[in-house]
Amino acid sequence: MTPTATGIEPTTDRPTTGPIPTTAITVTGPLRERYDEILTPDALAFLSELHARFAGRRHDRLADRMRRRFEIGNGHDPQFRADTAHIREDAEWQVAGAGPGLEDRRVEITGPTDPKMTINALNSGAKVWLADQEDATSPTWRNVIEGQLSLFDAIRGQLSYTSPATETAPGKEYRVTAERTPTIVMRPRGWHLTEKHIEFTDRAGRRMAASGSLVDYGLYFFHNAQRLIENGVGPYFYLPKIESAEEAKLWDDVFTFSEDRLGIAHGTIRATVLIETLPAAFEMEEILFELRDHIAGLNAGRWDYIFSMIKNYRGRGARFVLPDRSQVTMTVPFMRAYTELLVQTCHKRGAFAIGGMSAFIPNRRDPEVTAQAFEKVSADKKREAGDGFDGTWVAHPDLIPVARAEFDAVLGERPNQVDRQRPEVHVKASQLIDVHIGLPISASGVYANVSVAIRYIEAWLRGLGAVAIDNLMEDAATAEISRSQVWQWIHQDRSTEDGTRITRDYIEGLIGRVLGEVERREGDRFDDAATIFREVALGDDFPTFLTLGAYADYLTD
């Protein structure tokens, strides 16, 4: 890349402004009740324009990812970029920062966008709700469009939900009752994902599946941006799986075009970028710079970050092998370096730093387990608040008071601690890849990975993206870590602490054990889930995301 006065020179000559032919959009999914309120002609025309302008650049960025993974796999460790040093060294520039309703983000709740979970989130008492159309949503056609309907209704104060009646009880009605509801920050799917129920024609005349990112973002923005502004907030987004400043620039151009297209003031959109990939950790400052007119902060997406580390270093030898998933905590060297750098980088540029997920689900039948979990959550949030984070994530409403207490103790009446600059932090590139933990792989840890991955994938195939497993609310990131660890342990010829080699045959035995232990019901997808797990954990090749093949070949609506 060639540095310029404004940042990084684009690698493509595709225009982002000016007249451009409309790309034909075709909806191939079934049109159920109220779908026409989301898939309106004007909304589809907007999706058409987004794809005409940005689909080609999306493919360019995905090709960049492949090249970068190839380089790392062949021994070229990532470094802080020399061609963008001028951005990091310029002390003057600052980002847009918090938009209305985002000034205080000390506790954010995450969850999918089905009606019941939407209502629970809005009644939770959190400051922000991450309305997740990505890892916590199985991207069935029903979930994609009906999630948009949930958000459409919630923003207009007209959302309600009645649970199905049973033989012994009538359906229960749910409504939003909170006087103050969380600010909504919607997370669209990542750049790598497609929407197979919507097709577009590219410039070469080929019919292609639409971008999941542009579909999720485009429908939400088109229908809700103006109403959100009228409500005193704005159209806000969490951006997942970003790997480079160029990907951030692509999003910024999408935002700029969208604001101009709908006649909204430039900079109205606010984004928070999840730093959940290893390459992005080396470009945090550049990502902030490229989104500087539209960005509010960065988030430490801890689980996907661990997955990204394994994915990039899976073939680089035994020194890059991690132990049991449960042992890879936020205090191990590479995770500590990454979060310290994130806080320092954000505050240097006037951005918020948002901490990672606490996924525990209270077990009301076992108060002792719940109490122990609350202690762990409290300790985790105390560390984050003490490190300078401005807020954090939880997956269950009962964790909000626990997390809020730790941030209240540090923040007091202040809405954030962006003014805390952390000049004492000095993170080197080598520290971001220091995965030495010195703990063994246990047989129970291997089994836990196989069990959790298969149970999650099975639920995902049935349309559930956020799944309660072993007192934790799991999403796709947990399954990705689990299967990638198994793949790496096999290919690096690892053994458990009792000397048992981790081989394909050994894992096959664990798959059989899992299938024998789960409760089988009519219509379950455990056999398909086991097949998918074999494909992504036991094969010679390493699929970049398990959801890609599972979505294309197994997910039905």
Side-chain angles (χ1 to χ4, degrees), residues 103-125:
E103 299 89 351
D104 187 332
R105 305 178 64 172
R106 67 187 70 198
V107 185
E108 304 188 356
I109 193 166
T110 74
T113 55
D114 60 276
K116 182 179 177 181
M117 294 300 287
T118 296
I119 292 169
N120 286 345
L122 295 176
N123 285 332
S124 69

Side-chain angles (χ1 to χ4, degrees), residues 304-383:
D304 273 299
Y305 189 75
I306 296 169
F307 164 53
S308 179
M309 177 67 76
I310 299 168
K311 176 163 57 178
N312 281 283
Y313 279 91
R314 65 189 185 277
R316 289 280 299 273
R319 73 186 183 95
F320 290 103
V321 173
L322 296 173
D324 291 2
R325 175 166 47 90
S326 62
Q327 300 293 339
V328 188
T329 67
M330 298 304 291
T331 59
V332 302
F334 77 98
M335 295 298 286
R336 185 68 180 158
Y338 142 74
T339 54
E340 290 276 85
L341 181 61
L342 187 148
V343 172
Q344 183 196 52
T345 301
C346 284
H347 290 183
K348 175 183 177 183
R349 301 303 182 180
F352 283 51
I354 308 299
M357 170 68 77
S358 288
F360 172 71
I361 303 172
N363 186 338
R364 293 179 173 84
R365 291 177 295 180
D366 195 334
E368 183 176 347
V369 169
T370 297
Q372 292 174 354
F374 277 179
E375 288 181 9
K376 293 180 180 178
V377 172
S378 179
D380 184 49
K381 303 313 177 188
K382 182 177 182 178
R383 175 192 52 77

Side-chain angles (χ1 to χ4, degrees), residues 217 237 239 251-259 269 271 291 294:
Y217 161 81
F237 299 92
L239 303 181
W251 269 118
D252 194 71
D253 288 342
V254 169
F255 294 160
T256 297
F257 166 76
S258 301
E259 290 166 335
I269 294 172
L291 278 159
H294 292 111

Side-chain angles (χ1 to χ4, degrees), residues 74-94:
N74 280 274
H76 299 281
D77 291 333
Q79 301 288 332
F80 297 110
R81 289 171 59 165
D83 65 323
T84 57
H86 65 288
I87 293 174
R88 298 191 300 274
E89 293 166 359
D90 182 351
E92 298 302 316
W93 63 269
Q94 294 279 287

